[in-house]
Amino acid sequence: MANRFVLNETSYHGAGAIKDIATEAKGRGFKKAFVCSDPDLIKFGVTKKVIDVLEGAGLDYEIYSNIKPNPTIENVQTGVEAFKKSGADYLIAIGGGSSMDTAKGIGIVIANPEFEDIRSLEGVAPTKNKSVPIFAVPTTAGTAAEVTINYVITDVEKNRKMVCVDPKDIPVVAFVDPEMMSSMPKGLTAATGMDALTHAIEAYTSRKALPVTDTLAVSAVKRIMKYLPAAYKDGSDEKARYEVSVASYEAGICINNSTVTLVHGMSRPIGALFHVAHGISNAMLLTKCLAFALDGAYEKFANLGRKIGAATAEDDDKTASGKFIEALNEICKICEIPTLLEYGIPKDEFFAHMEKMAHDALTSGSPGNTMKPISEQDIIEIYKKLWE
């Protein structure tokens, strides 16, 4: 069976990339944009950079900002109603994963009204029509939602995150402009950068890894390990911001086609129940999950260790793999990734939810992509190690 490879239609990369929004919108005959952006980005003037481009080109728009950090079913539903009333014919998603995921949900439901019940989109969505066209403008370097076919919506009633996978939701154009990321605070730089790193490592060590994604994954890991510390320490470092944004995009292509594994599967329940930022919960889990996965893919983890310079050609694969994990521990320290305890999560409450989290993690399907068998009990044991 042939392997499917999915990529967005067009991408602009580099400082000033958002200026091409007007060219693309006019070239495609679009009349009015439905701009999805969260309240903080509007408050701090980040969204205005895109609005200035639209206004400068005489393009009409309407802003939708009912978007939470972990977007909910309600955020999508109210967005669908607002879009219908707006008269818009395309979406512009400005932000990180939250704005992008909300826009994808809105675009898919508008194009496929029979799926108005958002819960029916969970898993591999059986939609027929492509989303309303989405222009994606990332303000973080990590989620890579501008190039992925996934979106995650929180079901508040059931305290869980729904992963929706649909090639029809991929943005038609991505504008990856590091100038849109220059005001990212340190915490967000760390969270999104570690998310991108997790994407790259998991795609590379997935059962579904492909030769073409392997190349991009290794490139992304090398860029992030080299440049994320610099971007974290100095947000005005243009070179570091650019390199991490490129790595995020590379890693996004990888998870589109090779998927994620154990870390993401275990991370989502933590985010849903304890409202931990997705990239941070990934980083909290990263070394514990990968240490478990090592013996299923020593050769690949060893290669990563050698590529980033943590291991040498003289090291055997097991040793090189261990050195890679040590390097990951170090970048977590540099980026000041907190433990569950430091984050303020009550241990007794965490343990009370652990069986449900393990069940939700395994049934999400992501852990099954790890190159070794994984049970719910394995996941529970890894969760416990987060408190050691």
Side-chain angles (χ1 to χ4, degrees):
M1 181 182 293
N3 295 308
R4 182 186 67 179
F5 189 82
V6 182
L7 189 63
N8 67 308
E9 186 179 307
T10 306
S11 294
Y12 292 83
H13 292 259
I18 60 169
K19 295 175 184 177
D20 288 293
I21 291 173
T23 303
E24 283 287 339
K26 288 183 175 181
R28 294 167 185 269
F30 295 152
K31 302 300 181 185
K32 184 176 183 180
F34 189 78
V35 179
C36 294
S37 190
D38 71 61
D40 283 344
L41 290 175
I42 294 170
K43 177 181 176 181
F44 294 112
V46 179
T47 306
K48 187 177 183 298
K49 294 179 182 179
V50 173
I51 298 305
D52 286 347
V53 171
L54 296 175
E55 291 182 346
L59 291 167
D60 197 7
Y61 64 90
E62 181 171 317
I63 297 176
Y64 176 73
S65 62
N66 182 25
I67 299 170
K68 295 182 178 180
N70 290 300
T72 64
I73 290 174
E74 185 266 342
N75 294 149
V76 176
Q77 289 173 331
T78 57
V80 168
E81 294 308 311
F83 185 95
K84 290 177 181 177
K85 295 175 183 177
S86 71
D89 53 357
Y90 71 113
L91 292 131
I92 299 179
I94 306 169
S98 299
S99 295
M100 303 280 186
D101 287 359
T102 303
K104 288 178 179 181
I106 293 169
I108 282 292
V109 173
I110 292 294
N112 300 271
E114 67 272 25
F115 291 96
E116 193 169 3
D117 177 3
I118 309 302
R119 291 186 180 92
S120 65
L121 292 167
E122 185 174 12
V124 180
T127 53
K128 296 179 181 178
N129 302 317
K130 286 186 177 180
S131 166
V132 172
I134 300 172
F135 284 7
V137 185
T139 59
T140 65
T143 64
E146 70 273 12
V147 70
T148 65
I149 61 174
N150 311 314
Y151 58 104
V152 181
I153 304 298
T154 299
D155 184 338
V156 176
E157 291 181 12
K158 296 184 179 180
N159 271 332
R160 60 189 297 272
K161 288 188 174 185
M162 302 184 304
V163 181
C164 308
V165 182
D166 190 348
K168 298 181 183 68
D169 70 37
I170 195 167
V172 291
V173 190
F175 303 86
V176 186
D177 188 336
E179 292 181 351
M180 293 292 289
M181 306 171 190
S182 61
S183 61
M184 260 199 302
K186 290 181 71 175
L188 188 57
T189 298
T192 54
M194 293 303 294
D195 191 20
L197 180 60
T198 307
H199 290 163
I201 297 169
E202 289 197 291
Y204 185 65
T205 58
S206 166
R207 292 182 186 275
K208 298 180 180 178
L210 304 170
V212 66
T213 57
D214 279 357
T215 300
L216 292 169
V218 171
S219 174
V221 171
K222 288 169 63 178
R223 288 182 198 272
I224 294 167
M225 295 297 286
K226 181 176 180 179
Y227 289 103
L228 178 58
Y232 179 71
K233 291 175 183 176
D234 180 8
S236 64
D237 187 327
E238 294 181 6
K239 171 70 172 175
R241 285 286 191 206
Y242 174 74
E243 292 291 342
V244 177
S245 74
V246 171
S248 172
Y249 188 83
E250 290 175 321
I253 295 172
C254 293
I255 62 168
N256 249 6
N257 299 285
S258 297
T259 73
V260 290
T261 62
L262 180 59
V263 181
H264 272 74
M266 291 181 63
S267 172
R268 297 185 196 106
I270 294 176
L273 287 164
F274 299 102
H275 310 294
V276 180
H278 175 65
I280 294 297
S281 58
N282 278 348
M284 289 172 169
L285 286 158
L286 190 62
T287 56
K288 295 291 191 294
C289 287
L290 297 185
F292 173 88
L294 281 185
D295 59 355
Y298 274 137
E299 182 180 352
K300 285 209 154 182
F301 284 110
N303 188 50
L304 291 176
R306 296 184 186 106
K307 290 293 185 182
I308 65 169
T312 67
E314 286 70 37
D315 292 318
D316 61 43
D317 284 352
K318 185 175 182 180
T319 301
S321 294
K323 289 183 176 180
F324 178 64
I325 298 298
E326 290 172 10
L328 294 180
N329 269 319
E330 185 59 29
I331 197 170
C332 285
K333 288 178 183 177
I334 291 170
C335 291
E336 300 175 280
I337 302 301
T339 63
L340 292 171
L341 181 63
E342 290 167 344
Y343 197 87
I345 295 174
K347 184 176 181 180
D348 56 348
E349 189 177 346
F350 187 90
F351 272 65
H353 287 289
M354 207 150 50
E355 288 189 8
K356 171 182 166 48
M357 291 195 297
H359 175 76
D360 288 350
L362 193 63
T363 57
S364 74
S366 298
N369 297 322
T370 307
M371 289 204 283
K372 65 181 288 187
I374 295 175
S375 67
E376 282 190 24
Q377 190 56 46
D378 291 329
I379 292 173
I380 288 172
E381 293 304 317
I382 296 170
Y383 276 139
K384 288 179 180 178
K385 287 183 178 181
L386 297 179
W387 294 92
E388 292 177 355

mmCIF file with all atom_site columns, all heavy atoms in Angstrom, residues 30-46:
data_model
loop_
_atom_site.group_PDB
_atom_site.id
_atom_site.type_symbol
_atom_site.label_atom_id
_atom_site.label_alt_id
_atom_site.label_comp_id
_atom_site.label_asym_id
_atom_site.label_entity_id
_atom_site.label_seq_id
_atom_site.pdbx_PDB_ins_code
_atom_site.Cartn_x
_atom_site.Cartn_y
_atom_site.Cartn_z
_atom_site.occupancy
_atom_site.B_iso_or_equiv
_atom_site.pdbx_formal_charge
_atom_site.auth_seq_id
_atom_site.auth_comp_id
_atom_site.auth_asym_id
_atom_site.auth_atom_id
_atom_site.pdbx_PDB_model_num
ATOM 1   N N   . PHE A 1 30 ? -11.202 36.427 -2.940 1.00 0.00 ? 30 PHE A N   1
ATOM 2   C CA  . PHE A 1 30 ? -11.900 36.488 -1.660 1.00 0.00 ? 30 PHE A CA  1
ATOM 3   C C   . PHE A 1 30 ? -12.346 37.917 -1.364 1.00 0.00 ? 30 PHE A C   1
ATOM 4   O O   . PHE A 1 30 ? -11.651 38.882 -1.701 1.00 0.00 ? 30 PHE A O   1
ATOM 5   C CB  . PHE A 1 30 ? -11.004 35.986 -0.522 1.00 0.00 ? 30 PHE A CB  1
ATOM 6   C CG  . PHE A 1 30 ? -10.649 34.525 -0.631 1.00 0.00 ? 30 PHE A CG  1
ATOM 7   C CD1 . PHE A 1 30 ? -9.462  34.043 -0.085 1.00 0.00 ? 30 PHE A CD1 1
ATOM 8   C CD2 . PHE A 1 30 ? -11.493 33.621 -1.264 1.00 0.00 ? 30 PHE A CD2 1
ATOM 9   C CE1 . PHE A 1 30 ? -9.120  32.705 -0.163 1.00 0.00 ? 30 PHE A CE1 1
ATOM 10  C CE2 . PHE A 1 30 ? -11.162 32.270 -1.356 1.00 0.00 ? 30 PHE A CE2 1
ATOM 11  C CZ  . PHE A 1 30 ? -9.975  31.810 -0.800 1.00 0.00 ? 30 PHE A CZ  1
ATOM 12  N N   . LYS A 1 31 ? -13.484 38.043 -0.701 1.00 0.00 ? 31 LYS A N   1
ATOM 13  C CA  . LYS A 1 31 ? -14.066 39.360 -0.445 1.00 0.00 ? 31 LYS A CA  1
ATOM 14  C C   . LYS A 1 31 ? -14.002 39.778 1.024  1.00 0.00 ? 31 LYS A C   1
ATOM 15  O O   . LYS A 1 31 ? -13.767 40.940 1.336  1.00 0.00 ? 31 LYS A O   1
ATOM 16  C CB  . LYS A 1 31 ? -15.530 39.381 -0.902 1.00 0.00 ? 31 LYS A CB  1
ATOM 17  C CG  . LYS A 1 31 ? -15.731 39.039 -2.379 1.00 0.00 ? 31 LYS A CG  1
ATOM 18  C CD  . LYS A 1 31 ? -15.004 40.011 -3.295 1.00 0.00 ? 31 LYS A CD  1
ATOM 19  C CE  . LYS A 1 31 ? -15.238 39.671 -4.765 1.00 0.00 ? 31 LYS A CE  1
ATOM 20  N NZ  . LYS A 1 31 ? -14.443 40.539 -5.667 1.00 0.00 ? 31 LYS A NZ  1
ATOM 21  N N   . LYS A 1 32 ? -14.244 38.814 1.938  1.00 0.00 ? 32 LYS A N   1
ATOM 22  C CA  . LYS A 1 32 ? -14.291 39.181 3.358  1.00 0.00 ? 32 LYS A CA  1
ATOM 23  C C   . LYS A 1 32 ? -13.691 38.073 4.214  1.00 0.00 ? 32 LYS A C   1
ATOM 24  O O   . LYS A 1 32 ? -14.041 36.905 4.074  1.00 0.00 ? 32 LYS A O   1
ATOM 25  C CB  . LYS A 1 32 ? -15.723 39.474 3.805  1.00 0.00 ? 32 LYS A CB  1
ATOM 26  C CG  . LYS A 1 32 ? -15.827 39.960 5.247  1.00 0.00 ? 32 LYS A CG  1
ATOM 27  C CD  . LYS A 1 32 ? -17.256 40.341 5.628  1.00 0.00 ? 32 LYS A CD  1
ATOM 28  C CE  . LYS A 1 32 ? -17.311 40.883 7.044  1.00 0.00 ? 32 LYS A CE  1
ATOM 29  N NZ  . LYS A 1 32 ? -18.700 41.264 7.442  1.00 0.00 ? 32 LYS A NZ  1
ATOM 30  N N   . ALA A 1 33 ? -12.812 38.469 5.127  1.00 0.00 ? 33 ALA A N   1
ATOM 31  C CA  . ALA A 1 33 ? -12.152 37.505 6.008  1.00 0.00 ? 33 ALA A CA  1
ATOM 32  C C   . ALA A 1 33 ? -12.873 37.400 7.347  1.00 0.00 ? 33 ALA A C   1
ATOM 33  O O   . ALA A 1 33 ? -13.317 38.410 7.907  1.00 0.00 ? 33 ALA A O   1
ATOM 34  C CB  . ALA A 1 33 ? -10.703 37.913 6.246  1.00 0.00 ? 33 ALA A CB  1
ATOM 35  N N   . PHE A 1 34 ? -12.970 36.182 7.860  1.00 0.00 ? 34 PHE A N   1
ATOM 36  C CA  . PHE A 1 34 ? -13.428 35.932 9.225  1.00 0.00 ? 34 PHE A CA  1
ATOM 37  C C   . PHE A 1 34 ? -12.165 35.645 10.016 1.00 0.00 ? 34 PHE A C   1
ATOM 38  O O   . PHE A 1 34 ? -11.563 34.578 9.883  1.00 0.00 ? 34 PHE A O   1
ATOM 39  C CB  . PHE A 1 34 ? -14.393 34.743 9.248  1.00 0.00 ? 34 PHE A CB  1
ATOM 40  C CG  . PHE A 1 34 ? -15.099 34.533 10.560 1.00 0.00 ? 34 PHE A CG  1
ATOM 41  C CD1 . PHE A 1 34 ? -16.176 35.336 10.913 1.00 0.00 ? 34 PHE A CD1 1
ATOM 42  C CD2 . PHE A 1 34 ? -14.703 33.531 11.431 1.00 0.00 ? 34 PHE A CD2 1
ATOM 43  C CE1 . PHE A 1 34 ? -16.854 35.138 12.114 1.00 0.00 ? 34 PHE A CE1 1
ATOM 44  C CE2 . PHE A 1 34 ? -15.367 33.320 12.626 1.00 0.00 ? 34 PHE A CE2 1
ATOM 45  C CZ  . PHE A 1 34 ? -16.445 34.122 12.980 1.00 0.00 ? 34 PHE A CZ  1
ATOM 46  N N   . VAL A 1 35 ? -11.731 36.620 10.806 1.00 0.00 ? 35 VAL A N   1
ATOM 47  C CA  . VAL A 1 35 ? -10.437 36.559 11.481 1.00 0.00 ? 35 VAL A CA  1
ATOM 48  C C   . VAL A 1 35 ? -10.592 35.943 12.868 1.00 0.00 ? 35 VAL A C   1
ATOM 49  O O   . VAL A 1 35 ? -11.250 36.503 13.738 1.00 0.00 ? 35 VAL A O   1
ATOM 50  C CB  . VAL A 1 35 ? -9.808  37.958 11.592 1.00 0.00 ? 35 VAL A CB  1
ATOM 51  C CG1 . VAL A 1 35 ? -8.468  37.884 12.334 1.00 0.00 ? 35 VAL A CG1 1
ATOM 52  C CG2 . VAL A 1 35 ? -9.634  38.591 10.215 1.00 0.00 ? 35 VAL A CG2 1
ATOM 53  N N   . CYS A 1 36 ? -9.993  34.781 13.069 1.00 0.00 ? 36 CYS A N   1
ATOM 54  C CA  . CYS A 1 36 ? -10.015 34.108 14.372 1.00 0.00 ? 36 CYS A CA  1
ATOM 55  C C   . CYS A 1 36 ? -8.723  34.423 15.115 1.00 0.00 ? 36 CYS A C   1
ATOM 56  O O   . CYS A 1 36 ? -7.636  34.072 14.654 1.00 0.00 ? 36 CYS A O   1
ATOM 57  C CB  . CYS A 1 36 ? -10.132 32.591 14.191 1.00 0.00 ? 36 CYS A CB  1
ATOM 58  S SG  . CYS A 1 36 ? -11.690 32.053 13.473 1.00 0.00 ? 36 CYS A SG  1
ATOM 59  N N   . SER A 1 37 ? -8.861  35.084 16.258 1.00 0.00 ? 37 SER A N   1
ATOM 60  C CA  . SER A 1 37 ? -7.687  35.435 17.046 1.00 0.00 ? 37 SER A CA  1
ATOM 61  C C   . SER A 1 37 ? -8.089  35.562 18.504 1.00 0.00 ? 37 SER A C   1
ATOM 62  O O   . SER A 1 37 ? -9.186  36.045 18.809 1.00 0.00 ? 37 SER A O   1
ATOM 63  C CB  . SER A 1 37 ? -7.081  36.747 16.546 1.00 0.00 ? 37 SER A CB  1
ATOM 64  O OG  . SER A 1 37 ? -5.825  36.979 17.133 1.00 0.00 ? 37 SER A OG  1
ATOM 65  N N   . ASP A 1 38 ? -7.228  35.134 19.411 1.00 0.00 ? 38 ASP A N   1
ATOM 66  C CA  . ASP A 1 38 ? -7.623  35.131 20.819 1.00 0.00 ? 38 ASP A CA  1
ATOM 67  C C   . ASP A 1 38 ? -7.514  36.521 21.444 1.00 0.00 ? 38 ASP A C   1
ATOM 68  O O   . ASP A 1 38 ? -6.823  37.403 20.919 1.00 0.00 ? 38 ASP A O   1
ATOM 69  C CB  . ASP A 1 38 ? -6.828  34.093 21.607 1.00 0.00 ? 38 ASP A CB  1
ATOM 70  C CG  . ASP A 1 38 ? -5.369  34.463 21.798 1.00 0.00 ? 38 ASP A CG  1
ATOM 71  O OD1 . ASP A 1 38 ? -5.089  35.501 22.423 1.00 0.00 ? 38 ASP A OD1 1
ATOM 72  O OD2 . ASP A 1 38 ? -4.503  33.711 21.321 1.00 0.00 ? 38 ASP A OD2 1
ATOM 73  N N   . PRO A 1 39 ? -8.213  36.753 22.547 1.00 0.00 ? 39 PRO A N   1
ATOM 74  C CA  . PRO A 1 39 ? -8.267  38.085 23.163 1.00 0.00 ? 39 PRO A CA  1
ATOM 75  C C   . PRO A 1 39 ? -6.912  38.685 23.501 1.00 0.00 ? 39 PRO A C   1
ATOM 76  O O   . PRO A 1 39 ? -6.712  39.903 23.357 1.00 0.00 ? 39 PRO A O   1
ATOM 77  C CB  . PRO A 1 39 ? -9.098  37.845 24.433 1.00 0.00 ? 39 PRO A CB  1
ATOM 78  C CG  . PRO A 1 39 ? -9.957  36.665 24.106 1.00 0.00 ? 39 PRO A CG  1
ATOM 79  C CD  . PRO A 1 39 ? -9.094  35.789 23.248 1.00 0.00 ? 39 PRO A CD  1
ATOM 80  N N   . ASP A 1 40 ? -5.956  37.877 23.955 1.00 0.00 ? 40 ASP A N   1
ATOM 81  C CA  . ASP A 1 40 ? -4.646  38.415 24.321 1.00 0.00 ? 40 ASP A CA  1
ATOM 82  C C   . ASP A 1 40 ? -3.894  38.959 23.108 1.00 0.00 ? 40 ASP A C   1
ATOM 83  O O   . ASP A 1 40 ? -3.245  40.002 23.191 1.00 0.00 ? 40 ASP A O   1
ATOM 84  C CB  . ASP A 1 40 ? -3.795  37.343 25.011 1.00 0.00 ? 40 ASP A CB  1
ATOM 85  C CG  . ASP A 1 40 ? -4.213  37.119 26.458 1.00 0.00 ? 40 ASP A CG  1
ATOM 86  O OD1 . ASP A 1 40 ? -4.926  37.982 27.006 1.00 0.00 ? 40 ASP A OD1 1
ATOM 87  O OD2 . ASP A 1 40 ? -3.849  36.073 27.029 1.00 0.00 ? 40 ASP A OD2 1
ATOM 88  N N   . LEU A 1 41 ? -3.975  38.251 21.984 1.00 0.00 ? 41 LEU A N   1
ATOM 89  C CA  . LEU A 1 41 ? -3.293  38.725 20.781 1.00 0.00 ? 41 LEU A CA  1
ATOM 90  C C   . LEU A 1 41 ? -3.906  40.029 20.281 1.00 0.00 ? 41 LEU A C   1
ATOM 91  O O   . LEU A 1 41 ? -3.209  40.900 19.748 1.00 0.00 ? 41 LEU A O   1
ATOM 92  C CB  . LEU A 1 41 ? -3.362  37.663 19.680 1.00 0.00 ? 41 LEU A CB  1
ATOM 93  C CG  . LEU A 1 41 ? -2.529  36.399 19.928 1.00 0.00 ? 41 LEU A CG  1
ATOM 94  C CD1 . LEU A 1 41 ? -2.779  35.381 18.835 1.00 0.00 ? 41 LEU A CD1 1
ATOM 95  C CD2 . LEU A 1 41 ? -1.045  36.725 20.004 1.00 0.00 ? 41 LEU A CD2 1
ATOM 96  N N   . ILE A 1 42 ? -5.206  40.161 20.464 1.00 0.00 ? 42 ILE A N   1
ATOM 97  C CA  . ILE A 1 42 ? -5.868  41.414 20.096 1.00 0.00 ? 42 ILE A CA  1
ATOM 98  C C   . ILE A 1 42 ? -5.439  42.522 21.049 1.00 0.00 ? 42 ILE A C   1
ATOM 99  O O   . ILE A 1 42 ? -5.079  43.628 20.629 1.00 0.00 ? 42 ILE A O   1
ATOM 100 C CB  . ILE A 1 42 ? -7.405  41.229 20.124 1.00 0.00 ? 42 ILE A CB  1
ATOM 101 C CG1 . ILE A 1 42 ? -7.828  40.240 19.029 1.00 0.00 ? 42 ILE A CG1 1
ATOM 102 C CG2 . ILE A 1 42 ? -8.118  42.569 19.946 1.00 0.00 ? 42 ILE A CG2 1
ATOM 103 C CD1 . ILE A 1 42 ? -9.267  39.803 19.112 1.00 0.00 ? 42 ILE A CD1 1
ATOM 104 N N   . LYS A 1 43 ? -5.423  42.214 22.342 1.00 0.00 ? 43 LYS A N   1
ATOM 105 C CA  . LYS A 1 43 ? -5.064  43.183 23.377 1.00 0.00 ? 43 LYS A CA  1
ATOM 106 C C   . LYS A 1 43 ? -3.655  43.735 23.187 1.00 0.00 ? 43 LYS A C   1
ATOM 107 O O   . LYS A 1 43 ? -3.411  44.938 23.355 1.00 0.00 ? 43 LYS A O   1
ATOM 108 C CB  . LYS A 1 43 ? -5.187  42.529 24.747 1.00 0.00 ? 43 LYS A CB  1
ATOM 109 C CG  . LYS A 1 43 ? -4.782  43.412 25.916 1.00 0.00 ? 43 LYS A CG  1
ATOM 110 C CD  . LYS A 1 43 ? -4.921  42.658 27.230 1.00 0.00 ? 43 LYS A CD  1
ATOM 111 C CE  . LYS A 1 43 ? -4.440  43.490 28.413 1.00 0.00 ? 43 LYS A CE  1
ATOM 112 N NZ  . LYS A 1 43 ? -4.559  42.742 29.701 1.00 0.00 ? 43 LYS A NZ  1
ATOM 113 N N   . PHE A 1 44 ? -2.724  42.857 22.831 1.00 0.00 ? 44 PHE A N   1
ATOM 114 C CA  . PHE A 1 44 ? -1.324  43.275 22.727 1.00 0.00 ? 44 PHE A CA  1
ATOM 115 C C   . PHE A 1 44 ? -0.916  43.716 21.320 1.00 0.00 ? 44 PHE A C   1
ATOM 116 O O   . PHE A 1 44 ? 0.266   43.891 21.027 1.00 0.00 ? 44 PHE A O   1
ATOM 117 C CB  . PHE A 1 44 ? -0.407  42.165 23.230 1.00 0.00 ? 44 PHE A CB  1
ATOM 118 C CG  . PHE A 1 44 ? -0.563  41.898 24.708 1.00 0.00 ? 44 PHE A CG  1
ATOM 119 C CD1 . PHE A 1 44 ? -1.112  40.706 25.152 1.00 0.00 ? 44 PHE A CD1 1
ATOM 120 C CD2 . PHE A 1 44 ? -0.201  42.856 25.634 1.00 0.00 ? 44 PHE A CD2 1
ATOM 121 C CE1 . PHE A 1 44 ? -1.279  40.465 26.514 1.00 0.00 ? 44 PHE A CE1 1
ATOM 122 C CE2 . PHE A 1 44 ? -0.357  42.631 26.995 1.00 0.00 ? 44 PHE A CE2 1
ATOM 123 C CZ  . PHE A 1 44 ? -0.894  41.433 27.446 1.00 0.00 ? 44 PHE A CZ  1
ATOM 124 N N   . GLY A 1 45 ? -1.878  43.877 20.431 1.00 0.00 ? 45 GLY A N   1
ATOM 125 C CA  . GLY A 1 45 ? -1.602  44.460 19.128 1.00 0.00 ? 45 GLY A CA  1
ATOM 126 C C   . GLY A 1 45 ? -1.018  43.531 18.089 1.00 0.00 ? 45 GLY A C   1
ATOM 127 O O   . GLY A 1 45 ? -0.631  43.982 17.003 1.00 0.00 ? 45 GLY A O   1
ATOM 128 N N   . VAL A 1 46 ? -0.959  42.227 18.389 1.00 0.00 ? 46 VAL A N   1
ATOM 129 C CA  . VAL A 1 46 ? -0.401  41.276 17.421 1.00 0.00 ? 46 VAL A CA  1
ATOM 130 C C   . VAL A 1 46 ? -1.363  41.088 16.251 1.00 0.00 ? 46 VAL A C   1
ATOM 131 O O   . VAL A 1 46 ? -0.955  41.115 15.083 1.00 0.00 ? 46 VAL A O   1
ATOM 132 C CB  . VAL A 1 46 ? -0.092  39.927 18.097 1.00 0.00 ? 46 VAL A CB  1
ATOM 133 C CG1 . VAL A 1 46 ? 0.459   38.932 17.073 1.00 0.00 ? 46 VAL A CG1 1
ATOM 134 C CG2 . VAL A 1 46 ? 0.902   40.117 19.243 1.00 0.00 ? 46 VAL A CG2 1
#
